[in-house]
Amino acid sequence: MRVIDELGYRPRAAARELSAGHALTIGLVVTDLSNPFFARLADRIVWEARSHGVQVVLMTTQEDPHLEADSLDTLLDRSVSGVIATPTGGNIEKWRRLRDLGVNVVFIDRAIEELEDVDVVSIENFDSGQRSTEHLISLGHTRIGLITGPLTTSTGSARLNGYRAAHRNASLPVDPTLIRDVPFRGDAGGDAVGSLLAMRQPPTALIVANTAQVQSSVRRLVQMGTDIPDQLSLIVFDDNPWTELTSPPLSVIRQPLDMLAVHAIELVLGRMHGKLPDGARRIEVKADYLPRNSCAPVTAPVAR
Amino acid sequence: MRVIDELGYRPRAAARELSAGHALTIGLVVTDLSNPFFARLADRIVWEARSHGVQVVLMTTQEDPHLEADSLDTLLDRSVSGVIATPTGGNIEKWRRLRDLGVNVVFIDRAIEELEDVDVVSIENFDSGQRSTEHLISLGHTRIGLITGPLTTSTGSARLNGYRAAHRNASLPVDPTLIRDVPFRGDAGGDAVGSLLAMRQPPTALIVANTAQVQSSVRRLVQMGTDIPDQLSLIVFDDNPWTELTSPPLSVIRQPLDMLAVHAIELVLGRMHGKLPDGARRIEVKADYLPRNSCAPVTAPVAR
DNA sequence: TTGTAAGCGTTATCAA
DNA sequence: TTGATAACGCTTACAA
């Protein structure tokens, strides 16, 4: 021990991994880090992992299944003992194989229907969609726009279902032309905003129900000089650091990133140490509605 | 080859690393990912690294030298062949040892004076400080506040020197009470804003010269209801996605993240392959001033 | 308790 | 060109 200290000896990770057959490393696979949601999620995960002596290898997919497939191969080569990912939706077989090979997989933020035996940590998507819609309905809005990610994603469909349920409960019809499911990448959010406001009977309220579309949507609203909240009430998903710096400050659905990260890490590490019972876990944490000043009652009653 | 295909064989990274003595991996050591500047930087670096078949192990320091030291040890254990880092300023000996052990180190964004033989990629800090100050002076401002990171950091001191040079060139005195060098973490930016505006003779313009302080500074300005630009002209460092979403949109110094990332990766990989001449490289890329609507001429001439 | 040896999967060296 | 062999540094099982 004294000599170890004197020489500053440190065991070599590669040798240990080769001998053990697996690495004290997890892979983190997210879309990209320019989305503040994923960035802060990554920050929390790296932080939590560190406190357990686990390193994080970071890979980004740009929502592209090919890049995702590459990432998974690479992580497999590295014998990572776990993967935390926001899956693109593709590579079903690859994910399954990864899991069968003993890699602990945890999906965060979204799920994949076909992979029911994979752990998932997410917010209560249905509930978030419902509550934000209900809030706008309670302000008298009857034409509420919804911008969401592709409906093939679990977040997209669950939030839309919440939106629908809120309408149903209020005995309001759902106008399908107010619903825009758009791709994650590019300026799709902005375009959806443009076309919604150009409608003959435009919505009086808007929910941007995916973090990937918030920035481009808000940018477009600012460019168009839309008067918020008088002309349009607005709720966006996820409390970015800047949502309170706009005028007016935006009412948001706040996703509890810390909880998501902590649960994800605990699932991965728990399975690593075999401390968890078999069977997939689905953890849903509540997302709060944080009212600020971007929502107001409808100004004029809507003629029908 | 056919059998390789059939069996889906893939070489084991751990064995290769053990044999080769080093890993096709680099460490990325940044403060934290909740700062959009570092997040986007990390995004670009991961992306560039991937295109060269190199994986990235991510570690965060929270500006804490102890955490940084831990990170370096861990990376050393992993035999990474390179490290890209925004150094905290401490651990001088550790950095030097790392370099002497053959790990290619590239500092990004900031430098450490004592380590003159380490590659550095940064923006033209002096120039950025000078140009932003000059712009405000040309609008007639004579009392220009400056919020910057600790002056022990290369970015802090270089930007301050630029600020001073601009004053000198315009034969303006520098009022030291207008200069606030504050810690990176916490709400130091907001507090500096508060105390600057509470001065008997407050500044008519403000430069927030560090990304870490922008968010808390702007938040405080919004909270205080400061009229920008009529009451206070504002320039902030780094073009976050939200700087054009505030009202008014903020004039910024835009740091060319792509360039920083590309240069850093090229330096690390270039040295890995021994394609680079000896001797440290200092690459400085120009940062553009991007005028938006947060700067205006002084309203009333300052009584003297 | 301490010491020895085999094995992890790859690369590199040296013979054939 | 091909094929066998040692070495990388750690863990673990077994023998002394």
Side-chain angles (χ1 to χ4, degrees):
Chain A
M1 283 301 169
R2 210 193 60 242
V3 177
I4 285 184
D5 252 26
E6 283 171 13
L7 268 49
Y9 162 87
R10 310 209 94 223
R12 212 137 205 286
R16 178 173 287 170
E17 288 173 18
L18 182 57
S19 175
H22 63 95
L24 270 186
T25 304
I26 61 172
L28 176 60
V29 183
V30 294
T31 297
D32 70 300
L33 256 30
S34 54
N35 181 334
F37 174 70
F38 293 128
R40 290 183 302 144
L41 194 56
D43 189 63
R44 298 307 309 159
I45 285 176
V46 167
W47 180 249
E48 290 295 331
R50 155 180 230 133
S51 75
H52 293 268
V54 170
Q55 279 93 254
V56 174
V57 175
L58 178 65
M59 331 222 65
T60 56
T61 64
Q62 322 290 328
E63 299 289 358
D64 177 349
H66 295 102
L67 293 180
E68 182 179 62
D70 278 359
S71 302
L72 297 192
D73 285 341
T74 303
L75 290 175
L76 210 46
D77 297 349
R78 304 198 65 96
S79 335
V80 294
S81 33
V83 174
I84 297 178
T86 52
T88 63
N91 296 309
I92 313 256
E93 274 316 311
K94 211 149 206 147
W95 280 115
R96 191 168 288 146
R97 191 148 47 85
L98 200 68
R99 208 193 55 96
D100 292 343
L101 254 43
V103 178
N104 304 291
V105 178
V106 175
F107 289 154
I108 196 164
D109 181 56
R110 7 201 234 243
I112 293 188
E113 290 307 316
E114 293 88 336
L115 295 166
E116 37 333 79
D117 49 356
V118 169
D119 293 328
V120 180
V121 180
S122 71
I123 63 164
E124 292 175 352
N125 286 303
F126 177 91
D127 179 69
S128 312
Q130 182 174 25
R131 293 226 317 287
S132 47
T133 310
E134 277 171 355
H135 179 70
L136 290 169
I137 290 176
S138 77
L139 289 172
H141 295 276
T142 55
R143 292 187 60 75
I144 302 171
L146 178 71
I147 296 178
T148 169
L151 296 183
T152 52
T153 63
S154 61
T155 49
S157 66
R159 289 169 193 176
L160 171 58
N161 286 339
Y163 169 94
R164 287 213 172 99
H167 281 74
R168 195 164 49 245
N169 293 346
S171 306
L172 274 176
V174 169
D175 179 350
T177 63
L178 291 176
I179 298 168
R180 304 299 161 97
D181 56 310
V182 300
F184 287 133
R185 316 278 306 162
D187 194 28
D191 295 342
V193 165
S195 76
L196 278 171
L197 292 194
M199 288 174 74
R200 198 166 335 156
Q201 205 180 358
T204 60
L206 176 64
I207 301 173
V208 182
N210 196 289
T211 62
Q213 280 113 24
V214 169
Q215 191 186 313
S216 70
S217 299
V218 175
R219 188 196 299 123
R220 188 67 65 97
L221 287 170
V222 168
Q223 280 168 358
M224 295 175 72
T226 312
D227 184 352
I228 296 171
D230 290 340
Q231 183 184 347
L232 186 77
S233 284
L234 181 64
I235 295 178
V236 304
F237 267 57
D238 196 38
D239 184 26
N240 288 321
W242 55 265
T243 46
E244 59 171 334
L245 300 181
T246 55
S247 47
L250 303 182
S251 300
V252 300
I253 294 288
R254 168 183 279 164
Q255 311 206 38
L257 284 162
D258 288 20
M259 287 299 98
L260 294 178
V262 168
H263 283 306
I265 286 285
E266 275 180 358
L267 280 176
V268 170
L269 299 184
R271 297 230 183 265
M272 269 172 65
H273 300 127
K275 305 264 179 199
L276 252 44
D278 281 358
R281 290 265 204 109
R282 302 240 154 179
I283 300 182
E284 292 204 333
V285 297
K286 189 167 184 116
D288 291 323
Y289 172 66
L290 194 65
R292 287 203 274 246
N293 303 310
S294 62
C295 293
V298 273
T299 44
V302 176
R304 202 81 200 67
Chain B
M1 282 301 169
R2 210 194 59 241
V3 177
I4 285 185
D5 252 25
E6 284 172 11
L7 267 49
Y9 162 87
R10 309 209 96 223
R12 212 139 209 287
R16 178 175 286 170
E17 287 172 20
L18 180 57
S19 176
H22 63 93
L24 269 186
T25 304
I26 62 172
L28 176 59
V29 183
V30 294
T31 297
D32 71 298
L33 255 31
S34 53
N35 180 333
F37 173 70
F38 293 127
R40 289 183 301 144
L41 195 56
D43 189 62
R44 298 307 308 160
I45 285 177
V46 168
W47 181 248
E48 290 294 330
R50 156 181 231 132
S51 75
H52 293 269
V54 170
Q55 280 92 253
V56 174
V57 176
L58 177 66
M59 330 223 64
T60 56
T61 64
Q62 322 290 326
E63 299 288 357
D64 178 348
H66 295 103
L67 293 181
E68 182 179 60
D70 278 357
S71 302
L72 297 191
D73 285 341
T74 303
L75 291 174
L76 210 46
D77 298 349
R78 303 198 66 94
S79 333
V80 295
S81 33
V83 174
I84 297 178
T86 52
T88 62
N91 296 312
I92 312 258
E93 273 317 310
K94 210 147 204 147
W95 281 115
R96 190 170 286 143
R97 191 148 48 83
L98 200 67
R99 208 194 54 97
D100 293 344
L101 255 43
V103 178
N104 303 290
V105 177
V106 174
F107 289 155
I108 196 163
D109 181 57
R110 8 200 234 242
I112 293 189
E113 290 307 315
E114 293 88 335
L115 294 167
E116 35 333 79
D117 49 356
V118 170
D119 293 328
V120 180
V121 180
S122 71
I123 63 163
E124 293 176 351
N125 286 303
F126 177 91
D127 180 69
S128 312
Q130 182 174 26
R131 293 225 318 286
S132 47
T133 311
E134 277 172 356
H135 179 72
L136 291 169
I137 291 176
S138 76
L139 289 171
H141 295 277
T142 56
R143 292 186 61 73
I144 302 171
L146 179 72
I147 295 177
T148 169
L151 297 182
T152 52
T153 63
S154 61
T155 48
S157 67
R159 290 169 192 176
L160 172 59
N161 286 339
Y163 169 94
R164 287 211 171 100
H167 281 75
R168 194 163 51 246
N169 293 345
S171 305
L172 275 176
V174 169
D175 180 349
T177 64
L178 290 176
I179 298 168
R180 303 298 161 95
D181 57 309
V182 299
F184 287 131
R185 315 280 306 164
D187 193 30
D191 295 341
V193 164
S195 77
L196 278 171
L197 293 194
M199 289 173 74
R200 199 164 337 151
Q201 206 180 358
T204 60
L206 175 64
I207 301 172
V208 183
N210 197 288
T211 62
Q213 280 111 26
V214 168
Q215 190 187 315
S216 69
S217 299
V218 174
R219 188 194 301 122
R220 189 67 67 98
L221 287 169
V222 168
Q223 281 168 358
M224 295 174 72
T226 312
D227 184 355
I228 296 171
D230 290 341
Q231 182 184 348
L232 185 77
S233 285
L234 181 64
I235 296 178
V236 304
F237 266 55
D238 195 37
D239 184 26
N240 288 320
W242 54 267
T243 46
E244 60 172 332
L245 300 180
T246 55
S247 45
L250 303 182
S251 300
V252 300
I253 293 288
R254 167 182 281 165
Q255 311 207 39
L257 283 162
D258 288 19
M259 288 296 100
L260 293 177
V262 168
H263 283 306
I265 286 285
E266 276 181 356
L267 280 176
V268 170
L269 299 184
R271 295 226 183 268
M272 268 173 64
H273 300 124
K275 306 264 176 197
L276 253 44
D278 280 358
R281 291 265 203 108
R282 302 240 154 178
I283 299 182
E284 292 204 334
V285 297
K286 188 166 185 119
D288 290 324
Y289 172 66
L290 194 66
R292 288 202 272 246
N293 302 310
S294 62
C295 293
V298 274
T299 43
V302 177
R304 201 89 197 60

